[in-house]
């Protein structure tokens, strides 16, 4: 494990951010030696520059932080490695967070200690940062009370740790663009992704039919079987959709009025083909790295609308109350066995191995969730 | 001039449509020889099958039609040859109107006679069919009172004849998708088109800035000068936009939040590039016959929305009252010299010549408007 080098330069964008930086921790402990309310030291995954996550991240020990009146110190229980965490470390997003930074944006923890002014949380409560907030890949996180959302302790910790990015993306996309009623149909590509799996189950919980497109690959029959078990009504590989009358495949299902695209290229065109007159396609990813191509007549005669979704837009926004309501709903589905997805809990000591798996260096693996 | 052949087969989709067919006219006059309220005979441009307009249309004489209680007989004054009229005759629209049919969808006429139950119109009123309605290329049109919208007689007849398709498309697109405020900017390609010219002037009337893209061609400087005179703030040819920092060209103008595309291909991509975060592009034509290609990040990070517009959607809809309000507003701008576009009034006798000009067979010509 690396030792904190005094030569590191830390640049904080906000006071909150500053206070999570290793250097600010040193300052706190050095200049306030007699402070009474300190967090324990924290072990954290830090990166000092953007780049390949397996090269730029390292686990270091951070000194205690002083809790201000409204602060809450949370002992992290679990936090996932999401593709968006990887993208942030790589620096491929249009807005790069300042470095150095601690990795991770979501996770669940237990309240460990409270600032003197905190009244709505108690030691032992389970909490998640909502909206998701940087720095969850560490053993103790200190943030203001308003950052934390108290949740039901009776759900498995790996679901609590992962609820606020992928499942919330799925639910927001089902609710934010088109008014859906039970009996309506939705269509999506990239259906085997974690968001895709959530869409299938959330759609089912709301009485919506769902049509799913997956890529052609070895094991596609097995993938279909898995999605069927989650509640998928129809599943097609892209090549199975090379037919003249694509809508004939729908049988008795109503034509979809909402579609989700996380692939682009041909897979996006297939979603557009399935959509009914006046339908909407929401793009939230581009796994094929190909653009979306749309005919003029799709807009004029078929009256399709194309939109985009990025959860980031919801962070630090006025919608946090709405997001928390949705999170509670999603966790209630988890509790009732109506929402599940595969995860692998990995001890924090094995972070590098989990990161390699999340980076796809070791073949296909379930979502990696660090257990602290 | 052709004589009506009794062997023609007429298939009417609706009773209204039926009553405008030559055969139904024969029936009316044959079986109701003693009816007292008949229209005059009408001279009409008819096509018996879809195809090249200069081959399938012919001018024929139609016998008188009996006016029912709610009918109004209108002596047509003027009607334009719009690209959409040509497309309908060609049969390139997804929904083909039944044939045989009388050409033309908009125009202005003078009330000639009234059914016994008509109370809101008087002989001599100027009226236009609103929403636009088939069969305006004839000397006398009989339709129900509700079809007709009475307009101000003091505007030039060629503007009254052309207000309800192109200028209304421009105004609806400015009002239906994004809430615009004075000082906002809009961007469009195909700016020299009739809709494009209307967008410039309507935007100006509403205090909006406008940025315009035209195609590279001989005479583009002249075209720019013309659009400048109509009120264009900025005009670029496509090749002038092959720059790294396209938004740098905007200078002091706010980034556009609404864009219009009637071209597709590169010209559509340029509109997307100009749009600001969260902007909307509305497609209403595809002159280049190329599709619209959009990057995934345009949807996710730039949060662009892509929509389509087709005036046809407004026909026979609940929005007719709204459209009539807009038409009155547009005609008031015409009256005040704030909206103008080039037209050529052509006597009905020269219909074939006007059609050839509208089809582009004789080079570039202004909008052809038939004067009856």
């Amino acid at each position: 494990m690396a030792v904190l080098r005094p030569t590191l330069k830390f640049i904080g964008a906000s006071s909150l951010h500053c206070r999570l930086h290793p250097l600010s921790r040193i300052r706190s402990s050095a200049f306030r030696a007699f402070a009474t309310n300190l967090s324990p030291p924290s072990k954290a995954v830090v990166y000092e520059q953007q780049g390949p996550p397996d090269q730029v991240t390292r686990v270091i020990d951070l000194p205690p932080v002083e809790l201000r009146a409204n602060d809450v110190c949370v002992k992290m229980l679990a936090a996932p490695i999401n593709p968006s965490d990887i993208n942030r470390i790589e620096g491929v997003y249009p807005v790069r967070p300042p470095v150095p930074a601690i990795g991770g944006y979501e996770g669940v923890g237990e309240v460990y200690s409270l600032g003197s002014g905190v009244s709505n949380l108690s030691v032992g409560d389970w909490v998640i940062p909502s909206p998701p907030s940087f720095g969850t890949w560490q053993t103790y996180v200190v943030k203001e009370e308003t950052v934390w959302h108290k949740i039901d302790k009776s759900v498995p910790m790996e679901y609590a740790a992962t609820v606020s990015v992928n499942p919330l993306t799925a639910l927001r996309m089902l609710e934010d663009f088109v008014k859906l009623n039970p009996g309506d149909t939705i269509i999506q590509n990239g259906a085997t992704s974690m968001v895709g799996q959530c869409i299938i189950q959330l759609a089912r919980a709301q009485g919506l039919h769902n049509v799913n497109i997956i890529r052609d690959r070895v094991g596609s029959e097995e993938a279909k079987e898995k999605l069927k078990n989650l509640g998928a009504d129809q599943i097609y590989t892209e090549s199975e959709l090379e037919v003249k009358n694509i809508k004939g495949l729908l049988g008795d299902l109503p034509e979809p009025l909402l579609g989700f695209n996380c692939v682009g290229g041909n897979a996006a065109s297939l979603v557009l083909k399935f959509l009914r007159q006046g339908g909407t396609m929401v793009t939230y990813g581009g796994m094929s790295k190909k653009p979306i191509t749309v005919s003029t007549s799709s807009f004029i005669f078929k009256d399709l609308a194309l939109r985009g979704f990025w959860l980031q837009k919801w962070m630090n926004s006025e919608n946090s109350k709405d997001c928390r309501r949705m999170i509670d709903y999603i966790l209630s589905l988890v509790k009732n066995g109506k929402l599940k997805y595969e995860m692998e809990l990995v001890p924090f000591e094995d972070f590098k191995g989990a990161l390699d798996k999340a980076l796809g260096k070791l073949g296909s693996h379930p979502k990696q969730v660090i257990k602290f």
Side-chain angles (χ1 to χ4, degrees), chain A residues 6 12 22 82 97 100 124 173 180 185 208 226 246 262 324 327 341 370:
Chain A
N82 286 320
M173 292 200 302
L180 296 167
T185 307
L208 304 168
K226 201 175 130 189
I246 204 168
C262 66
R324 290 181 176 190
I327 283 168
Y341 39 84
I370 305 160

Side-chain angles (χ1 to χ4, degrees), chain A residues 111-371:
Chain A
V111 173
Y112 178 84
S113 62
L114 304 167
S116 58
V118 176
S119 55
N120 292 316
L121 289 173
S122 307
V123 171
D125 284 348
W126 275 22
V127 290
I128 62 174
S130 173
S133 179
F134 64 89
T136 57
W137 292 351
Q138 59 177 330
T139 51
Y140 291 93
V141 178
V142 175
K143 297 205 182 213
E144 277 187 295
E145 181 181 11
T146 53
V147 169
W148 302 106
H149 175 52
K150 181 179 167 181
I151 57 151
D152 184 342
K153 285 176 83 159
S154 63
V155 294
M157 73 165 73
E158 62 272 28
Y159 282 95
T162 55
V163 67
S164 61
V165 173
N166 290 306
L168 188 62
T169 291
L171 186 56
R172 285 233 77 110
M173 292 200 302
L174 280 166
E175 296 209 350
D176 289 354
F177 295 92
V178 171
K179 167 86 187 116
L180 296 167
N181 294 306
D184 286 339
T185 307
I186 59 109
I187 164 106
Q188 67 169 337
N189 61 29
T192 58
S193 73
M194 192 163 148
V195 171
Q197 292 182 42
C198 290
I199 285 174
I200 291 171
Q201 296 170 85
L202 292 171
R204 198 172 179 83
Q206 296 182 14
L208 304 168
H209 303 293
N210 61 85
V211 179
N212 302 276
I213 305 170
I214 63 175
R215 66 180 193 276
D216 292 276
R217 57 169 172 185
V218 179
S220 62
E221 285 309 313
E222 202 184 322
K224 280 186 183 180
E225 199 52 42
K226 201 175 130 189
L227 297 183
K228 264 283 191 262
N229 289 336
L230 293 180
D233 289 312
Q234 296 190 355
I235 311 149
Y236 303 100
T237 63
E238 287 187 40
S239 65
E240 286 170 352
L241 295 173
E242 286 166 7
V243 295
K244 206 165 177 187
N245 178 18
I246 204 168
K247 292 206 176 166
L249 298 169
L250 288 171
D252 289 340
L253 292 190
E255 292 176 53
L257 75 173
L258 180 60
F260 302 111
N261 163 48
C262 66
V263 182
N266 178 57
S269 300
L270 290 170
V271 169
L272 294 174
K273 272 191 194 169
F274 263 115
L275 283 178
R276 85 167 183 209
Q277 178 82 20
T280 296
M281 182 172 86
V282 178
T283 290
Y284 70 98
M287 292 196 292
S288 73
K289 300 197 190 296
K290 287 178 187 155
I292 296 139
T293 303
V294 199
S295 69
T296 299
S297 66
S298 295
F299 287 116
I300 301 182
F301 301 131
K302 206 174 164 188
D303 193 24
L304 297 185
L306 271 66
R307 305 284 301 275
F309 180 84
W310 193 26
L311 193 64
Q312 184 88 24
K313 210 175 64 177
W314 296 103
M315 298 191 186
N316 305 316
S317 76
E318 296 154 13
N319 301 285
S320 80
K321 204 170 170 184
D322 205 31
C323 284
R324 290 181 176 190
R325 174 188 62 75
M326 287 186 175
I327 283 168
D328 292 342
Y329 167 72
I330 294 167
L331 290 178
S332 76
L333 291 181
V334 170
K335 201 170 162 180
N336 296 327
K338 290 185 178 163
L339 181 69
K340 56 191 173 188
Y341 39 84
E342 279 179 40
M343 288 174 282
E344 187 178 338
L345 270 172
V346 185
F348 190 24
E349 292 70 41
D350 298 340
F351 174 75
K352 284 286 178 191
L355 182 61
D356 285 346
K357 284 184 186 171
L359 289 168
K361 287 163 71 178
L362 305 168
S364 184
H365 284 275
K367 167 77 60 189
Q368 300 292 299
V369 181
I370 305 160
K371 188 174 181 305

